[in-house]
Amino acid sequence: MKVSGLIGFAYTENTGHGVWKKVKTKKKYYIDINRVNWYNRDSQQTVNGTFTINNTLSILCNPFLLEHYTHIEWVEFNGTKWKVSSVDLEPPRIILSIGEPYASESK
């Protein structure tokens, strides 16, 4: 299945004179969903448990993605942000594994 989605990056950038700042950005990519497994983990602390997926996503690399693939934090598609658990570089593509919903540190 092919979808269009956003990928969120967070990295530090040198602004000069030894000063570094944190940069957060998002970019739009076309994503191939390779494996789709959806499930609810049983939890006695919540009513419905924690919703988790076990998917791998394939994305065609561009120069920005090749330079910043180690700084990927989340992927958003179908209206939900998912935390990236692993990134494999397989040129000309990268393979992302996702699982839990992404919870931003600053809400």
Side-chain angles (χ1 to χ4, degrees):
M1 174 169 49
K2 291 185 185 244
V3 297
S4 175
L6 295 173
I7 298 178
F9 301 85
Y11 54 94
T12 55
E13 188 174 77
N14 189 350
T15 61
H17 306 291
V19 177
W20 293 80
K21 70 174 183 174
K22 187 167 188 174
V23 176
K24 287 192 173 201
T25 188
K26 55 188 172 187
K27 303 272 185 185
K28 187 174 184 177
Y29 289 94
Y30 292 103
I31 301 167
D32 293 322
I33 302 175
N34 295 332
R35 181 179 65 206
V36 180
N37 294 321
W38 305 79
Y39 61 94
N40 271 331
R41 276 191 284 168
D42 289 332
S43 174
Q44 296 181 11
Q45 296 177 1
T46 61
V47 175
N48 293 326
T50 303
F51 185 69
T52 306
I53 63 176
N54 184 15
N55 289 1
T56 58
L57 311 175
S58 176
I59 302 153
L60 190 60
C61 291
N62 63 12
F64 181 87
L65 191 55
L66 279 174
E67 184 178 343
H68 297 285
Y69 73 93
T70 58
H71 305 290
I72 296 173
E73 287 193 336
W74 54 264
V75 176
E76 179 181 10
F77 61 92
N78 294 337
T80 304
K81 285 184 182 177
W82 300 96
K83 183 169 48 170
V84 174
S85 56
S86 71
V87 179
D88 294 319
L89 184 60
E90 296 180 9
R93 298 187 160 273
I94 64 164
I95 308 299
L96 305 177
S97 297
I98 59 174
E100 298 179 4
Y102 177 77
S104 176
E105 295 175 52
S106 57
K107 294 188 177 189

